[in-house]
Amino acid sequence: VIPQIFKVKALRTAAIGYFGHMWELYTFWAFIPLIILKYNAIADHEASHASLYNFAIIGIGAAGCAVGGYLAQRFGSKAIACTALSVSCLCCILSPLFFFAPNVIFYLFLGVWGIAVTMDSPQFSALVAAAAPPAWKGTALTIVNAIGFFITILSIEIISFLLLYVSVNLLLPILAIGPMIGINRLLAGKKASNMQALIARLQK
């Protein structure tokens, strides 16, 4: 049923958004220790409490998921997923500049990124589950998650290889590729829905 699952437009849109999210999430988490070490090297700071900062930046994602779930009840999962994806995309693009920011600003930035990068994750699962035909929900969630984690492996391996030639602070904008693709699909789906609603009103 996998080919039939991906013929469902709303599910396909949610899945592509999730794939873009997965390109960024675990690679960001995997390289937080290197990000902190690089910042300390550039700023000439001691690497004290690096493990604690690493834990906090990953752990704060739990708050992002909780807040995202609360807001989704009011604004909808798609709106929250798109907003979170946009914020984390902006973090990817702007990240090289923050390596030259004061200590507090740098870690606040990573904290915001840590919240935004996880906030959309449960929302994409909710969107996939909502769009999947009832008899195929389990299969839909399984295959979408499996593809997402495959993309994660590719992302981590590609960045790991590029680290042999380029410093981590200059590589982080590459993570924006995934969110950009996800945002594009979510917004395209929203425009299509708005157009269909307008046509339905005109027909009435």
Side-chain angles (χ1 to χ4, degrees), residues 15-141:
I16 293 171
Y18 176 72
F19 299 155
H21 153 79
M22 290 296 279
W23 171 265
E24 176 195 10
L25 173 60
Y26 283 89
T27 307
F28 170 63
W29 279 352
F31 291 104
I32 287 173
L34 281 181
I35 291 168
I36 292 172
L37 287 172
K38 184 64 181 179
Y39 173 74
N40 287 328
I42 290 173
D44 197 23
H45 291 156
E46 290 185 18
S48 58
H49 308 302
S51 296
L52 178 62
Y53 290 135
N54 186 76
F55 168 79
I57 293 159
I58 294 175
I60 202 170
C65 289
V67 172
Y70 175 79
L71 294 174
Q73 293 178 37
R74 182 171 180 182
F75 301 105
S77 288
K78 184 177 281 190
I80 298 306
C82 195
T83 301
L85 209 55
S86 299
V87 173
S88 64
C89 181
L90 198 59
C91 289
C92 295
I93 295 167
L94 296 178
S95 57
L97 301 176
F98 282 86
F99 281 83
F100 301 95
N103 202 54
V104 173
I105 300 298
F106 175 74
Y107 285 110
L108 280 175
F109 167 73
L110 288 183
V112 169
W113 197 352
I115 291 171
V117 79
T118 57
M119 186 180 285
D120 48 0
S121 190
Q123 304 313 317
F124 283 121
S125 294
L127 289 168
V128 169
W136 299 344
K137 277 191 198 295
T139 302
L141 287 165

